[in-house]
Amino acid sequence: MTTILEQGNISIHTENIFPIIKKWLYSDHEIFLRELISNAVDAIQKLRMVSHSGEYSGDLGDPLIEIKIDKDAKTLSVSDNGIGMTADEVKKYINQVAFSSAEEFVEKYKASGDQQIIGHFGLGFYSSFMVAKHVRIDTLSYKDGAQPVRWDCDGSTEFQLSESDRTTRGTTVTLTLQDEEEEYLETARIQQLVRKYCDFMPVPIYLDGEQINRQKAPWKESPSSLTKDDYLEFYRYLYPFQEDPLLWVHLNTDYPFVVNGILYFPKLRPDVDVTKGQIKLFCNQVFVSDNCEEVIPRFLMPLRGVIDSSDIPLNVSRSFLQNDRTVRRIADYIAKKVGDRLKELYRDDREAYIRSWQDLGTFVKFGSMNDDKFKKQVEDILIFRTTYQEPPAEKPAVEVQTAEGDVWESGAAAPSNTVDGKTYTTLKDYLERNKERHPNRVFYCNDEANQATYVELHKSQGLEVLFLDSFIDSHFVSFLEREYPEVRFSRVDSELDDTLIDKDQANDIVDPTTNKTRSEQIKELFEKALNKPKLTIRTEALKSDNAEAAPPAMVLLPESLRRLQEMTALLQQQEMAFPEEHILLVNTAHPLVQNLLSRSQGTILQPDGSAASDDLSTLLCQHIYDLALMSQKGFDAEGMKAFVERSNQVLTRLTR
């Protein structure tokens, strides 16, 4: 016969807390298992502590947590072999939920999110009542002479404390599940929850005699004890079916706050939402959340991995988290560690850094724009692909002391900035190299394919061009101009440097029959043929070693006007339309333009006074303009249709 030790009411000062728990505290009922297992781990760790302090000299045994399912009885139990509880401790820790007001408590914390307050107010155990209609605790304390105790509660404020028949140290919590919660009687469901929340807890968890958690948390290990394969295996476990990461950063500090973790730089696919965090937040190896947006700097959101900290307050709202001093310091620490890792890679493995730059560059640029400390940390490792050709690396000779005396030996070569035929440079090195030719001016390209003609023109005259062609670079150029106000950034198609124009060409020779220069005649020819009042036509002779290889005409978009239209399109969330106001620069040195002028001058007049070749000249002018527009993606659907039709007309006329 069971001896009743005590009956009474759970100490809550206003009303029944259980409906409040179910209504406000947890929308995800499944976390009850996480709370029970967390309590079991705590009990085991407390036993270790009292053993180390000499308060307990008994056999600790192998620590373990065991989950059992009884489908017939509709029960689920969680057992540990930890510290156990006496009757007085059950009264203290289980019965006295000491809130001044349950309603006040809920009002204060309900806005903080479902999973923010679990386990931090003694409520972890009470989450059992979300899924159970009856909860029983059987426990036996480690203390000498302790008596086993049983606690029963049916979800009301009434409880019963009685003797238990338990014979082994530790605690078992048995839940009789509600009819609508019977999913937790399925083995697969329990396995899934343990993997989600408790996979890295430092105690083995058994179900049906089989261990179902990994137990080892790599982020708690010393970095020196982990191999490259260890890091990669952990990443593949966390993010299956993903490409391997580019590199990783191991966080490990216990002062002035505790933070452990491993952060990975993934390859950025176009379908990745860089605004959505994918770093998993843990607290003492217990999974808390799938993202920790308030804990890490915004620019590191695309990183993946794990952050584990007991110093991040989980019992507060997100807005509080963002303003919490410790959280801000943790965010600064994470950003610094990421910056240090990038600098280390740049210094020690320049080739790997460059190969990863297409993905790393997005992090580094976005971080530079959003975090001044991070910008200062990485400004010397911000690199850009360039048209510059690096000379062959030479190993510097150094004087060394040998047994035979002083000798000169070849030293280690400086790190190469060229990988797979592509060279990269810092902005500082670019400006230093070009300070004699174009001081404080940077030529850049943002569309290698469509601006190839412009890039080649610059290269042919020895002008170095940077490639700023990632999706973030349109914003990054503006950022660089604010950071370096003395430097002017010019896109290769915005304006032509004087270096590219041949001022010695005889464009100013006046034709005695028309009293106009050749440049004026060409300009008039194109103005009449194109008939676009908002189009500005300029005539210049472009420098080139091969006149036919240079373009016959180029469309230029003035930098300030183009940027204004880009900003307007961005604000209106529209794609930028090709501006009507632009410049057509006609290359008077190109044989096609010269032939066109000669053709128009040598025409035979028809009886009506018109030239027989006027219409073909018009078609050729339009065709030259069309080709220049194509390099700027200046066609809409109608424009492309008209271009094809005109091209066919030109070819037809030329083949008559």
Side-chain angles (χ1 to χ4, degrees):
M1 180 178 175
T2 301
T3 302
I4 305 298
L5 301 177
E6 184 174 343
Q7 285 181 296
N9 290 323
I10 297 168
S11 302
I12 330 172
H13 291 178
T14 54
E15 59 176 280
N16 189 346
I17 198 170
F18 299 113
I20 298 176
I21 288 174
K22 294 175 184 180
K23 183 176 181 182
W24 288 121
L25 257 50
Y26 312 106
S27 62
D28 291 333
H29 287 190
E30 65 184 32
I31 58 84
F32 82 91
L33 188 64
R34 177 185 77 178
E35 296 305 302
L36 294 182
I37 293 175
S38 296
N39 289 344
V41 171
D42 286 345
I44 289 169
Q45 291 178 332
K46 285 175 181 175
L47 182 67
R48 288 174 180 160
M49 291 172 65
V50 297
S51 176
H52 290 158
S53 69
E55 292 180 36
Y56 179 63
S57 57
D59 181 18
L60 293 179
D62 293 328
L64 64 87
I65 295 167
E66 189 170 15
I67 302 172
K68 290 184 178 179
I69 295 171
D70 186 333
K71 287 191 174 183
D72 294 333
K74 296 185 180 179
T75 61
L76 172 73
S77 65
V78 177
S79 301
D80 67 69
N81 57 355
I83 197 168
M85 290 182 285
T86 63
D88 287 340
E89 287 168 339
V90 170
K91 295 176 191 178
K92 179 179 179 181
Y93 297 121
I94 302 299
N95 292 346
Q96 297 174 13
V97 183
F99 298 123
S100 60
S101 165
E103 280 185 337
E104 177 188 331
F105 170 79
V106 169
E107 282 302 313
K108 185 175 181 182
Y109 293 108
K110 69 182 181 184
S112 65
D114 300 321
Q115 297 184 1
Q116 301 293 326
I117 59 179
I118 297 164
H120 281 253
F121 298 91
L123 285 172
F125 164 73
Y126 281 96
S127 63
S128 304
F129 288 96
M130 293 189 299
V131 298
K133 57 188 177 185
H134 183 276
V135 178
R136 185 178 78 240
I137 301 174
D138 284 286
T139 183
L140 176 59
S141 172
Y142 75 96
K143 295 177 179 177
D144 290 338
Q147 297 298 311
V149 181
R150 173 172 169 170
W151 180 92
D152 286 276
C153 183
D154 62 1
S156 69
T157 54
E158 296 180 357
F159 71 90
Q160 181 173 288
L161 197 61
S162 57
E163 293 179 351
S164 169
D165 57 3
R166 185 182 183 96
T167 58
T168 57
R169 183 199 66 237
T171 301
T172 298
V173 179
T174 303
L175 313 183
T176 303
L177 296 174
Q178 300 166 19
D179 293 342
E180 62 270 25
E181 304 289 353
E182 291 183 9
E183 63 183 279
Y184 302 112
L185 297 174
E186 300 298 328
T187 299
R189 180 73 168 121
I190 299 302
Q191 289 174 330
Q192 181 248 332
L193 292 181
V194 169
R195 170 167 175 156
K196 179 177 180 179
Y197 292 109
C198 310
D199 217 9
F200 300 101
M201 285 191 164
V203 176
I205 301 169
Y206 288 86
L207 174 64
D208 299 329
E210 177 185 354
Q211 184 173 342
I212 57 173
N213 67 322
R214 290 168 66 93
Q215 192 177 341
K216 178 183 176 183
W219 64 87
K220 289 284 191 178
E221 304 287 320
S222 165
S224 61
S225 69
L226 297 175
T227 66
K228 176 182 176 181
D229 287 341
D230 290 329
Y231 285 109
L232 290 176
E233 190 272 335
F234 182 51
Y235 182 83
R236 292 163 187 159
Y237 173 77
L238 293 176
Y239 308 100
F241 312 114
Q242 299 291 316
E243 288 186 88
D244 282 349
L246 302 168
L247 68 151
W248 46 86
V249 183
H250 198 131
L251 310 173
N252 190 354
T253 184
D254 55 12
Y255 182 82
F257 38 72
V258 175
V259 175
N260 299 97
I262 302 172
L263 299 181
Y264 294 89
F265 286 83
K267 292 184 179 178
L268 290 181
R269 300 197 316 270
D271 61 340
V272 170
D273 184 355
V274 295
T275 65
K276 184 178 179 183
Q278 298 195 55
I279 297 173
K280 299 177 186 295
L281 179 62
F282 284 71
C283 180
N284 293 328
Q285 294 164 249
V286 182
F287 174 76
V288 174
S289 174
D290 256 324
N291 63 74
C292 43
E293 298 174 11
E294 292 74 34
V295 179
I296 63 167
R298 182 165 157 257
F299 69 91
L300 295 179
M301 293 282 280
L303 293 184
R304 294 175 179 171
V306 165
I307 289 176
D308 189 336
S309 175
S310 56
D311 286 331
I312 297 172
L314 303 178
N315 56 328
V316 294
S317 66
R318 289 186 167 184
S319 60
F320 183 92
L321 264 182
Q322 291 168 338
N323 295 303
D324 182 77
R325 178 181 294 182
T326 299
V327 171
R328 289 203 307 271
R329 292 171 72 189
I330 289 174
D332 289 343
Y333 164 77
I334 293 170
K336 184 179 185 305
K337 290 291 289 185
V338 168
D340 288 343
R341 180 69 179 94
L342 292 172
K343 289 167 68 176
E344 176 189 25
L345 185 66
Y346 182 80
R347 181 189 69 232
D348 298 341
D349 194 345
R350 185 73 54 86
E351 180 177 338
Y353 184 85
I354 290 173
R355 287 187 186 280
S356 302
W357 182 249
Q358 185 173 352
D359 295 284
L360 290 182
T362 302
F363 292 104
V364 176
K365 292 172 185 175
F366 191 56
S368 297
M369 290 190 289
N370 285 275
D371 188 307
D372 193 55
K373 289 181 184 176
F374 185 77
K375 179 197 74 70
K376 287 181 170 59
Q377 201 177 0
V378 300
E379 58 189 354
D380 292 335
I381 62 171
L382 253 168
I383 59 175
F384 308 89
R385 186 159 64 90
T386 175
T387 56
Y388 173 69
Q389 295 297 307
E390 201 172 35
E394 293 184 6
K395 293 183 179 180
V398 292
E399 188 176 12
V400 296
Q401 184 74 36
T402 68
E404 289 76 27
D406 293 341
V407 298
W408 287 89
E409 282 188 2
S410 180
S416 173
N417 293 303
T418 300
V419 175
D420 296 336
K422 294 180 179 179
T423 303
Y424 288 77
T425 184
T426 63
L427 182 60
K428 179 181 177 182
D429 288 343
Y430 175 97
L431 293 170
E432 178 65 25
R433 265 194 308 274
N434 296 288
K435 64 183 180 182
E436 301 298 331
R437 300 203 63 181
H438 47 89
N440 286 334
R441 188 171 183 190
V442 175
F443 297 105
Y444 73 95
C445 156
N446 74 338
D447 189 330
E448 185 175 5
N450 285 291
Q451 293 165 8
T453 301
Y454 301 85
V455 172
E456 283 303 314
L457 184 64
H458 283 71
K459 284 174 61 179
S460 69
Q461 300 306 311
L463 297 179
E464 182 179 351
V465 177
L466 299 184
F467 293 92
L468 287 158
D469 51 6
S470 73
F471 71 91
I472 199 174
D473 281 333
S474 59
H475 306 288
F476 197 62
V477 169
S478 301
F479 168 77
L480 289 173
E481 287 178 326
R482 292 193 299 272
E483 291 295 308
Y484 305 96
E486 74 283 1
V487 178
R488 178 183 168 200
F489 287 77
S490 300
R491 208 167 82 177
V492 288
D493 59 349
S494 64
E495 188 55 80
L496 295 186
D497 189 72
D498 288 343
T499 312
L500 305 174
I501 298 171
D502 191 348
K503 299 293 186 182
D504 297 329
Q505 285 268 356
N507 293 330
D508 296 329
I509 298 174
V510 178
D511 184 339
T513 60
T514 61
N515 204 32
K516 295 176 181 177
T517 65
R518 186 172 61 174
S519 293
E520 289 171 336
Q521 289 174 303
I522 292 172
K523 183 176 180 179
E524 283 186 2
L525 181 64
F526 274 85
E527 285 176 339
K528 181 181 177 182
L530 300 178
N531 191 27
K532 289 181 176 289
K534 292 188 177 181
L535 175 66
T536 300
I537 296 176
R538 275 176 46 192
T539 51
E540 303 279 6
L542 299 181
K543 284 183 181 178
S544 177
D545 296 332
N546 181 353
E548 290 188 5
M554 305 174 79
V555 167
L556 302 178
L557 297 174
E559 190 85 13
S560 57
L561 176 62
R562 189 198 76 245
R563 291 200 198 180
L564 179 62
Q565 291 188 305
E566 286 175 344
M567 182 176 294
T568 302
L570 181 65
L571 292 174
Q572 295 176 348
Q573 295 186 327
Q574 296 175 345
E575 194 170 332
M576 189 184 102
F578 192 77
E580 286 185 276
E581 295 182 33
H582 55 273
I583 298 168
L584 177 67
L585 187 142
V586 181
N587 179 11
T588 58
H590 197 283
L592 174 56
V593 175
Q594 294 174 354
N595 293 344
L596 181 57
L597 178 62
S598 299
R599 183 182 183 86
S600 66
Q601 290 173 334
T603 56
I604 301 173
L605 293 178
Q606 301 293 328
D608 62 359
S610 65
S613 62
D614 266 2
D615 56 345
L616 180 57
S617 295
T618 297
L619 283 171
L620 288 170
C621 287
Q622 290 173 332
H623 193 70
I624 291 170
Y625 176 53
D626 286 343
L627 293 174
L629 275 177
M630 285 186 73
S631 68
Q632 284 283 10
K633 293 184 178 177
F635 283 144
D636 55 17
E638 287 299 316
M640 179 58 74
K641 179 182 175 185
F643 166 68
V644 173
E645 290 175 353
R646 282 194 295 270
S647 299
N648 290 333
Q649 291 176 38
V650 169
L651 293 172
T652 301
R653 290 292 302 275
L654 292 176
T655 53
R656 278 179 183 170

